[in-house]
Amino acid sequence: MSQKSRRVHDLWLAYAALAMVVALFALTHYVNLYDDYDISPRLDAAGVALRRAMNVVSFPLGQIFGFALDDALERSFACDGVATHPCAVFIHWWTHLAAIVAQILLLYWGIRRLTSARRRD
């Protein structure tokens, strides 16, 4: 593997690890504040922070997945149409996590194709 290919692979690995750590950290923070009895202002604020974090980490596929799936899933699980409702926050997290995984796999596939094409040349 060439030096440039190795550097690209290392960047991909860093992105993959950082994206998963941020996603799991955001969910852990939200779950730690979760209250079964009422949606407190702290939980509401944590829900907003979780949604923003997942939007940033899952860019650009997260917005596409979210636009296509979030509303339909929120309606099917009766999330009351409130974006900071725990049900809506968890749906948002899962759709954006799916986008993160898809991005990681697509980047890996693209890197492999580029490096294999260069080896043939």
Side-chain angles (χ1 to χ4, degrees):
M1 188 181 282
S2 73
Q3 181 70 12
K4 190 173 184 178
S5 297
R6 184 74 184 150
R7 188 173 300 133
V8 169
H9 185 267
D10 290 345
L11 286 173
W12 168 82
L13 188 60
Y15 163 75
L18 183 64
M20 295 308 288
V21 166
V22 169
L24 292 174
F25 174 78
L27 181 65
T28 302
H29 177 68
Y30 186 76
V31 168
N32 283 338
L33 292 178
Y34 187 80
D35 184 2
D36 287 335
Y37 304 109
D38 195 14
I39 300 176
S40 67
R42 285 179 50 192
L43 182 65
D44 193 34
V48 170
L50 184 142
R51 291 177 74 94
R52 286 183 184 157
M54 290 303 284
N55 283 339
V56 169
V57 174
S58 67
F59 183 81
L61 284 184
Q63 284 64 29
I64 296 167
F65 278 34
F67 180 75
L69 299 173
D70 280 349
D71 288 338
L73 288 171
E74 287 172 15
R75 281 193 306 275
S76 70
F77 285 101
C79 295
D80 302 332
V82 179
T84 56
H85 189 277
C87 172
V89 171
F90 285 122
I91 287 171
H92 183 85
W93 188 85
W94 278 107
T95 56
H96 284 68
L97 182 70
I100 291 170
V101 171
Q103 285 177 172
I104 289 169
L105 294 174
L106 286 170
L107 285 171
Y108 182 72
W109 176 73
I111 290 168
R112 291 206 31 131
R113 288 205 41 145
L114 284 174
T115 57
S116 66
R118 286 190 182 164
R119 279 187 220 138
R120 280 187 245 136
D121 292 340

